[in-house]
C-alpha cells in the first residue's frame, strides 16, 4: 500500500503542478472564455464543433484539473486511512481536497457568472496552497524528514514566526502578481526596476494600472530582502544543520531567479514561456517554505511538551 501511496502522491504532485501552470496559461493567453459561459461542457457540447486555440487551452485545463482531482481524492482517502497516525497527514489531506475544490468552484463561477478581477486574482493563490498541501503530503509519504535528519532539528520561536509571516506575505505578493495579470497591467510600465527609469520618482502621474504594477514590484522587492536576511541568519545560526542550510540556499536561488524572470517579463514584453516559468518558480519557492513551516510546527509541539 505504501508503494501505491508513493506513486499516487508523485502523480498528484506533478498533476497539480500542471493544473497550477495550466491556470496561469489560461490567464496569460486570455482563454478563460474559450468555452463561452458553459461549464463543465464547452459551448454546451461534449465535443465542440468550432475549435479555437482558446477553446483547446481552456478545455485541456478543465480535463487535467478533473483528472488530478480524482487522483488527489484517492490519495487523501488512502493517506488518511494508512498513515493517518502521522501528525500532519489528516490536516494536509483535508487541505489538499478543500483548496482543490475551492479553486475549481471559483473557476466555474468565473465562467458561468463572471467575477471581478480582484476575485479572480485569488485563484492562483488558492492553487498554490493546494499544490503545497499535496507536496507536503508526498514528503510525509516518502518520509523525507528521516532522510534529511530533520527530526533532530529544533527551530527557535523567533525564526518560526518569521517563516509563518513570510508564508502569509508570499501569498499577498502572489495575489498582487495575479492582480497585475487580471487587470491587464503586465506591460503598462516600460522600464525596470522603475516604471519609467528616466523619471523614477514621478509617482504623482501614475494611473491605476501603473500603481498595481509598481505595488507588486515593491512587494516583490521586500520579499527578496526578507529571504536574503533569513538566508544570512540561517547560515550563521544553523551552520551545522544541513537541511536548513541547503533549504535556504535553494530558497535564495529561487528568489533571485524569480526577480530576474519578473524583469525579463517586462524586457520581453510578456513572453509566454518566461511568464509561465515565473509562475513555476514561485510555486517551488512557496512549497519549500511550507516544508519549513511543517518543521516549525514540530518544534512548536516540542516546546509544549518540555
Amino acid at each position: 500500500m505504501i508503494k501505491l501511496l508513493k506513486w499516487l502522491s508523485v502523480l498528484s504532485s506533478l498533476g497539480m503542478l500542471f493544473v497550477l501552470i495550466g491556470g496561469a496559461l489560461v490567464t496569460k493567453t486570455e482563454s478563460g472564455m474559450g468555452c463561452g459561459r458553459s461549464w463543465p461542457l464547452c459551448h454546451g457540447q461534449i465535443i465542440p464543433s468550432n475549435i479555437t486555440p482558446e477553446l483547446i487551452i481552456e478545455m485541456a485545463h478543465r480535463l487535467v484539473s478533473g483528472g488530478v482531482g480524482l487522483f488527489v481524492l484517492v490519495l487523501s482517502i488512502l493517506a488518511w486511512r494508512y498513515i493517518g497516525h502521522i501528525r500532519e497527514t489528516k490536516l494536509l489531506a483535508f487541505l489538499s481536497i478543500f483548496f482543490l475544490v475551492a479553486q475549481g468552484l471559483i473557476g466555474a463561477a468565473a465562467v458561468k457568472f463572471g467575477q471581478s478581477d480582484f476575485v479572480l486574482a485569488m485563484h492562483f493563490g488558492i492553487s498554490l496552497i493546494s499544490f503545497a498541501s499535496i507536496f507536503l503530503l508526498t514528503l510525509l509519504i516518502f518520509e523525507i524528514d528521516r532522510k534529511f535528519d530533520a527530526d533532530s532539528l529544533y527551530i527557535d520561536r523567533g525564526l518560526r514566526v518569521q517563516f509563518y509571516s513570510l508564508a502569509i506575505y508570499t501569498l499577498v505578493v502572489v495575489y498582487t502578481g495575479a492582480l497585475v495579470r487580471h487587470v491587464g497591467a503586465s506591460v503598462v510600465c516600460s522600464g525596470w526596476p522603475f516604471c519609467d527609469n528616466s523619471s523614477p520618482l514621478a509617482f504623482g502621474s501614475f494611473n491605476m494600472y501603473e500603481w498595481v504594477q509598481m505595488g507588486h514590484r515593491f512587494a516583490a522587492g521586500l520579499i527578496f530582502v526578507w529571504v536574503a536576511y533569513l538566508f544570512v541568519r540561517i547560515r550563521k545560526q544553523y551552520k551545522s544543520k544541513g537541511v536548513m542550510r541547503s533549504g535556504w540556499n535553494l530558497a535564495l536561488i529561487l528568489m533571485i531567479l524569480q526577480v530576474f524572470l519578473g524583469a525579463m517579463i517586462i524586457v520581453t514584453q510578456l513572453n509566454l514561456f518566461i511568464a509561465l516559468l515565473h509562475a513555476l518558480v514561485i510555486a517551488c519557492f512557496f512549497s519549500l517554505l511550507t516544508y519549513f513551516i511543517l518543521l516549525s510546527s514540530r518544534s512548536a509541539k516540542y516546546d509544549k511538551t518540555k
Side-chain angles (χ1 to χ4, degrees):
M1 181 53 67
I2 295 299
K3 185 176 181 180
L4 175 61
L5 278 173
K6 288 181 178 181
W7 275 106
L8 274 174
S9 64
V10 170
L11 290 174
S12 297
S13 295
L14 291 175
M16 190 59 214
L17 194 59
F18 278 113
V19 170
L20 191 146
I21 299 303
L25 178 63
V26 168
T27 300
K28 294 175 191 303
T29 58
E30 299 182 352
S31 300
M33 296 305 296
C35 289
R37 291 289 181 189
S38 179
W39 192 94
L41 301 179
C42 206
H43 294 296
Q45 301 172 302
I46 297 178
I47 302 178
S49 55
N50 185 22
I51 305 296
T52 64
E54 292 79 12
L55 183 149
I56 293 173
I57 292 172
E58 171 65 9
M59 199 61 189
H61 178 57
R62 292 186 190 183
L63 290 173
V64 171
S65 299
V68 172
L70 291 176
F71 275 109
V72 173
L73 178 61
V74 174
L75 172 66
S76 299
I77 293 172
L78 293 179
W80 189 295
R81 180 175 179 181
Y82 290 100
I83 62 168
H85 60 279
I86 299 177
R87 177 172 169 258
E88 300 87 1
T89 300
K90 292 181 179 179
L91 175 61
L92 290 173
F94 170 76
L95 292 178
S96 299
I97 292 295
F98 178 82
F99 284 103
L100 186 62
V101 171
Q103 70 158 347
L105 291 177
I106 290 177
V111 170
K112 294 289 289 184
F113 311 112
Q115 294 285 353
S116 72
D117 293 327
F118 293 91
V119 173
L120 289 174
M122 296 170 56
H123 195 266
F124 185 77
I126 291 174
S127 299
L128 204 57
I129 296 173
S130 181
F131 170 67
S133 300
I134 297 167
F135 173 74
L136 289 180
L137 194 56
T138 300
L139 295 186
L140 288 182
I141 292 169
F142 277 85
E143 297 181 336
I144 197 75
D145 287 351
R146 185 176 303 173
K147 183 182 294 185
F148 288 109
D149 194 27
D151 287 334
S152 64
L153 174 66
Y154 175 78
I155 301 173
D156 66 79
R157 185 178 184 279
L159 195 56
R160 296 199 304 262
V161 172
Q162 293 272 354
F163 290 162
Y164 300 146
S165 302
L166 180 58
I168 294 171
Y169 183 69
T170 299
L171 289 175
V172 172
V173 176
V174 166
Y175 177 82
T176 62
L179 189 60
V180 166
R181 294 194 299 270
H182 282 287
V183 302
S186 297
V187 291
V188 70
C189 292
S190 58
W192 195 91
F194 300 103
C195 195
D196 183 353
N197 289 331
S198 62
S199 303
L201 302 179
F203 303 121
S205 62
F206 280 7
N207 57 39
M208 184 198 77
Y209 301 101
E210 289 168 327
W211 275 115
V212 170
Q213 170 66 240
M214 292 309 297
H216 173 63
R217 291 191 195 182
F218 179 74
L222 285 181
I223 199 173
F224 173 79
V225 172
W226 198 343
V227 170
Y229 160 73
L230 288 175
F231 168 79
V232 173
R233 176 175 171 177
I234 289 167
R235 292 287 294 184
K236 291 180 179 179
Q237 190 174 346
Y238 294 87
K239 60 178 66 177
S240 63
K241 301 298 182 181
V243 67
M244 293 291 280
R245 288 187 292 103
S246 299
W248 282 90
N249 286 345
L250 180 57
L252 184 61
I253 290 171
L254 289 172
M255 192 49 57
I256 291 172
L257 181 58
Q258 184 72 353
V259 172
F260 171 75
L261 291 171
M264 290 304 296
I265 288 175
I266 305 301
V267 172
T268 62
Q269 292 292 291
L270 204 60
N271 177 273
L272 182 59
F273 175 77
I274 292 176
L276 292 178
L277 193 57
H278 190 61
L280 174 62
V281 171
I282 196 61
C284 293
F285 171 79
F286 185 74
S287 298
L288 178 64
L289 181 56
T290 57
Y291 174 60
F292 285 101
I293 289 176
L294 182 146
L295 296 180
S296 295
S297 72
R298 292 176 175 175
S299 294
K301 181 185 178 185
Y302 174 76
D303 281 347
K304 294 178 181 179
T305 58
K306 285 197 302 182

